[in-house]
Each structure stands twice: as C-alpha cells, then as structure tokens.
Amino acid sequence: MGNPKAFLTIDRQEAGYRPVHDRVLDFSEVEQTLNANDRRLQASRCMDCGVPFCNWACPLGNRAPEWNDALYKGDYELAYRLLNSTNDFPEFTGRICPALCEKACVLNLTMHAPSTNRENEAAITETAFRENYVRIETPVRNGKTIAVIGAGPAGLVAANRLNHMGYTVTVFDKNESAGGLLRYGIPNFKLNKNIIDRRLAVLEAEGIIFKYGQEIDVTDLPAGFDAYVISTGTPQARDLNIPGRELKGVHLALELLSQQNRVLAGMEFSKEKRVTCKGKNVLVIGGGDTGSDCIGTAHRQGCKSVTQIEIMPKPPVGPEDPANPWPNWPRTLKTTSSHEEGCTRRWNINSLRFIGENGELTGVEVQPIDWKPNPEGGRPIMVTAGEPEVIKAEIVLLAMGFLKPQQPEFAPNVFVAGDAANGASLVVRAMASGRDIAAKVDAFLK
Ligand SMILES: Cc1cc2nc3c(=O)[nH]c(=O)nc-3n(C[C@H](O)[C@H](O)[C@H](O)COP(=O)(O)OP(=O)(O)OC[C@H]3O[C@@H](n4cnc5c(N)ncnc54)[C@H](O)[C@@H]3O)c2cc1C
Ligand code: SF4
C-alpha cells in the first residue's frame, strides 16, 4: 500500500462508456480505458484492509490488494503474476465480471466509491499482453491424458491448469470455436472475440489440443483418456409455452445473440434463417443480463423500439438494500450500458399469449400482476393487478434463464465443472469451478 491516504484524496474514477450516439452504430466494445497515470491513481485508492472482503467476495479469491499495490508502483509484471496466480484469464473477468469484489470493498461500505478492481484487472492484463509478460510455457508431460468436454470458461480453465501440471489435454466442443457463452452468447460490445482468440493462441502454443464440431454424448465418452471433465454449460433455455409460441418472431434470446456474434465473425445466414430486430418493435421477456444483451443488440441492428418486461417486482433502487447488507452482493436495480441506450422497462408483468396475423407475431397480451406473501411461507402468490393489455411487437426475445442440467451418475474418473455442475451463473464462478475441478482431477490421478 504505497499511498495510505489516497482513498481520502482521490475520487473513484471509472473509464465510462463511449457516447451512446457513437456506440450504437457498431458492435465494438463500449467500455473505454483510463490513461496510465489515472489508472495508477485508482490503484492507489485500495486500502489494503486487514480483512480484505474483496478477496472473500471474489469466487476466484483474487488478491486485489496485492496487485493494486504493484499496479500503483508501476510494476505491471508483478501485478500480472499476482493476478494470474488465481485468475487464469483476467482479460475476460476484467471486462465482464459484475465485480462482486467491488460491492464488498470497504470503500463501498463507507463512501459508495469502491476501488475500481475490475477495470484495474483489465488494465494490468492488457499491459501484460502488450509488454510480453504473458509467456508461453512448455509443460513437462507426465504421460497421462485428459478429455475436457466443453470449451467455455470452466473447461478452458480446467484445461489450462491440467496442461500446466503436465497432463496432455484434449478439449472437445460442439461449436466451431472455443469460448462457450463468451463467444456465442455475450455480445461483442461487451467482449470482443479477438480477446478470446488471443488467449486461445497461448493455450494452443502450450500444447492443448482442440477438437471442434464434436458433440459428445456424455454417457458415451471418447475412450482412451485417464480422466474427463464435463463442462458443457446449461444448453437448455427456459421457454415460455403460452398460446402462440409457434408464431414467427418468437425467439429464445440466444437465437439472436449467438447468430449476431457469428455474423460478426463472418458467417452468412439466409434471409429466412436470419434473426433480426431491424425496423421492428422488440419485446424482451426477462429482466436479467441476457435480456439486457438483447436490448443492446436490438439497437445495433436498427430496431424501432425496445420494451423489457419482468414478472418479478422492481428491485430496490439505490446503492444498498437493508435486506441484504454489505458485504453481500446487493440485489438492487441494475442499469446496464444497453439500458442507457434506450428501453422501456416494466416489472410485475405476466405474459398471457402471443398474438399474430398470418403466422407472424404482432404483439403479446400481458397482465399487470402483484405478489402477495404466502400464508404458508415459501414462494409469494401471484395476483392480478390491472386489466390485460397488448404490447405491440414484431419480435419477442425470451430471456428467462436456463434449466440446470441433470447429470447422470458418472464413473469416478469423470468430473463436472462450471454451469453444468452448478446451474447458470457467472463467468467468474465457472472459472473458479474449472480451477477447483482441475485440482480434484490431479488429486484423483495421483
Ligand atoms: C447472453 C449471456 C450473457 C452473459 N453475460 C455475462 C456477463 O456479462 N458476465 C458474467 O459473469 N456472466 C455472464 N453470463 C453467464 C456466463 O456466460 C456463464 O455463466 C459461463 O459462460 C458458464 O461457463 P461454462 O464454461 O460453465 O459453460 P458455457 O460457457 O456454456 O460453455 C459450455 C461449452 O460446452 C459446449 N458443449 C455443450 N454440450 C456439449 C457436448 N455435448 N459436446 C461438446 N461440447 C458441448 C458448448 O458448445 C460450450 O462451448 C452470460 C450468459 C449469457 C447467456
Ligand atoms: S474476478 Fe470479478 S470479483 Fe474477482 S477480483 Fe476480478 S472483478 Fe472482482
């Protein structure tokens, strides 16, 4: 902790987003960066607390006080080594982590201005790549082989760790490239795909074998490996089976998001197969992050309007909610860069039926509702709270989460990691799970 009074004299400064009028015209990353001096000043605000709650809150246990100190002192190489010791791919979390650490920062408790850990993490990692601190290692092989099924963040971390331990790792994925939802879910304006490609080049140079276009039946795993990691994510989205579901224009969110990312990667789709919001009134059903990504994508495709509805009540507004106090993750209203780009947001709205003409969607009949406490405890009871109404929409995007996969009983040399084990969550949690599973595989094979 180089400057013990910095937190009193230097304000939190976020790099912020590109202006709305500029960023909605392209799919490039919306977030900007600070210059090196301002970044250093931000790192100096970290107080190196005796009990670092940031470390407790980060699923990876990232040692923010240590790397913030190295960053403040200008030692980017040390900062990267410290960061990379717990976080295999800080260029991903530095961009898209919701920064659980910052919510648990003591400066968030005292002045609602936590240390800018996530942005600092991205800055350290970008410098590390630029200055060649990310080196290609040549692991000494131990003669044992591992198959990783699924190349999302969980599988990639497991593969990376096991490869460094000396195992020969083959990663199988059904898609045409690696990254999982990093590549085929999260929009480019949050995470440019060259960031994934840059890391993949390192993993390949270090000896990990990637096999794409391979959909593996997990009950019939490829023979000949000493152990297996199943990191297949949560492939099944929650659907909305109300009347009219078959109408043209009703899509699962990932049909839009993954196709848009593929289009940006150069893939072509016929007019019939293209999912686009261009010139349409868009209704997003589901108030979470996936829904927000649909909003940003709809704007960039040239939609006419966007409405987002959510069946649950509006979360409390404000930096904290007394019902779940610091240092827990605050369940308060979140406004993303995509919301800032324009969107009507409504809560306590239930969807009754999709309406259409000649097989094409024209709107959705919805019902304002309310939630009453359940006298028997448990989930509150939904009651109507207004007349049904129709929201005009030519395209609906269903962003209501994913079903937790039921995994079969596996042999003792098969391990499950990431969302496939825990249900849909966050990249940082998937990465932490991949790291833990790698340690378990190693312990098993030893
Ligand atoms: C639209 C969207 C936006 C998100 N935004 C964020 C965000 O901003 N920040 C954040 O922290 N989290 C975000 N998340 C959540 C995050 O992406 C996931 O929690 C994380 O990617 C899970 O990682 P995983 O490796 O477990 O699974 P996945 O990323 O789902 O990867 C699973 C991989 O397994 C492959 N696979 C599946 N079945 C098979 C099979 N049978 N054979 C071979 N391969 C198979 C898939 O092709 C895929 O590559 C978002 C999720 C979505 C859907
Ligand atoms: S991975 Fe997320 S929670 Fe962990 S230190 Fe980075 S921004 Fe914070």
Side-chain angles (χ1 to χ4, degrees), residues 119-401:
E119 289 188 28
N120 294 356
E121 199 171 311
I124 292 167
T125 317
E126 287 313 303
T127 306
F129 271 103
R130 209 169 46 241
E131 301 292 329
N132 229 2
Y133 303 146
V134 184
R135 305 226 172 84
I136 310 292
E137 291 182 24
T138 317
V140 179
R141 296 293 158 202
N142 63 17
K144 290 185 179 152
T145 57
I146 294 174
V148 174
I149 318 297
L156 290 179
V157 169
N160 186 43
R161 293 257 154 177
L162 290 162
N163 186 49
H164 283 177
M165 290 173 198
Y167 298 97
T168 300
V169 182
T170 306
V171 181
F172 297 85
D173 201 288
K174 65 180 178 185
N175 281 330
E176 61 275 24
S177 188
L181 288 171
L182 295 173
R183 190 183 292 276
Y184 297 112
I186 295 173
N188 288 28
F189 57 79
K190 279 166 62 181
L191 175 69
N192 198 320
K193 305 317 168 207
N194 62 5
I195 302 299
I196 309 173
D197 295 339
R198 184 177 64 181
R199 182 59 73 171
L200 281 179
V202 175
L203 302 187
E204 283 168 4
E206 290 183 333
I208 298 179
I209 303 152
F210 287 91
K211 295 198 170 178
Y212 299 123
Q214 311 263 330
E215 180 150 14
I216 306 293
D217 177 354
V218 295
T219 61
D220 183 20
L221 290 164
F225 293 91
D226 294 300
Y228 300 82
V229 176
I230 310 291
S231 44
T232 44
T234 51
Q236 211 182 335
R238 194 166 286 127
D239 211 327
L240 185 60
N241 288 313
I242 55 175
R245 174 64 183 88
E246 73 291 347
L247 287 167
K248 195 157 179 267
V250 183
H251 297 278
L252 297 173
L254 276 182
E255 290 170 14
L256 172 87
L257 298 174
S258 60
Q259 190 188 76
Q260 180 58 55
N261 288 1
R262 285 187 161 95
V263 168
L264 291 168
M267 212 179 253
E268 290 183 6
F269 294 87
S270 65
K271 204 167 170 239
E272 293 69 47
K273 290 214 169 125
R274 185 80 168 97
V275 182
T276 175
C277 301
K278 191 171 181 183
K280 295 177 185 164
N281 296 296
V282 181
L283 179 65
V284 177
I285 303 185
D289 282 345
T290 302
S292 151
D293 289 346
C294 291
I295 296 165
T297 303
H299 280 302
R300 283 158 183 76
Q301 291 183 342
C303 67
K304 203 188 272 181
S305 73
V306 198
T307 303
Q308 183 180 33
I309 59 171
E310 164 61 48
I311 197 168
M312 298 308 290
K314 184 176 180 179
V317 182
E320 64 202 17
D321 172 15
N324 72 319
W326 180 94
N328 292 311
W329 173 256
R331 286 186 294 273
T332 48
L333 181 69
K334 196 173 165 198
T335 300
T336 66
S337 66
S338 296
H339 290 123
E340 286 174 2
E341 289 159 12
C343 172
T344 303
R345 300 172 79 180
R346 297 178 66 186
W347 289 266
N348 276 346
I349 300 288
N350 188 25
S351 307
L352 300 179
R353 65 185 174 109
F354 299 111
I355 300 167
E357 275 171 29
N358 304 323
E360 307 245 356
L361 180 80
T362 55
V364 184
E365 187 180 17
V366 298
Q367 166 88 64
I369 52 117
D370 213 343
W371 295 95
K372 295 265 175 265
N374 187 335
E376 289 165 20
R379 196 180 155 85
I381 298 166
M382 189 171 79
V383 293
T384 57
E387 292 304 310
E389 58 180 289
V390 174
I391 299 178
K392 191 174 170 200
E394 293 82 42
I395 183 165
V396 160
L397 302 160
L398 303 173
M400 303 179 308

Side-chain angles (χ1 to χ4, degrees), residues 58 60-64 66-68 70-71 75-94 117-126 128 161 199 431 435:
C58 174
L60 288 163
N62 282 350
R63 293 149 60 189
E66 280 100 320
W67 42 257
N68 273 327
L71 175 58
D75 191 342
Y76 276 88
E77 184 162 13
L78 175 63
Y80 181 71
R81 299 272 162 261
L82 289 165
L83 176 55
N84 192 225
S85 67
T86 55
N87 187 347
D88 293 46
F89 312 130
E91 65 273 33
F92 303 155
T93 47
N117 291 343
R118 181 186 58 76
E119 289 188 28
N120 294 356
E121 199 171 311
I124 292 167
T125 317
E126 287 313 303
R161 293 257 154 177
R199 182 59 73 171
M431 286 170 57
R435 190 184 66 185

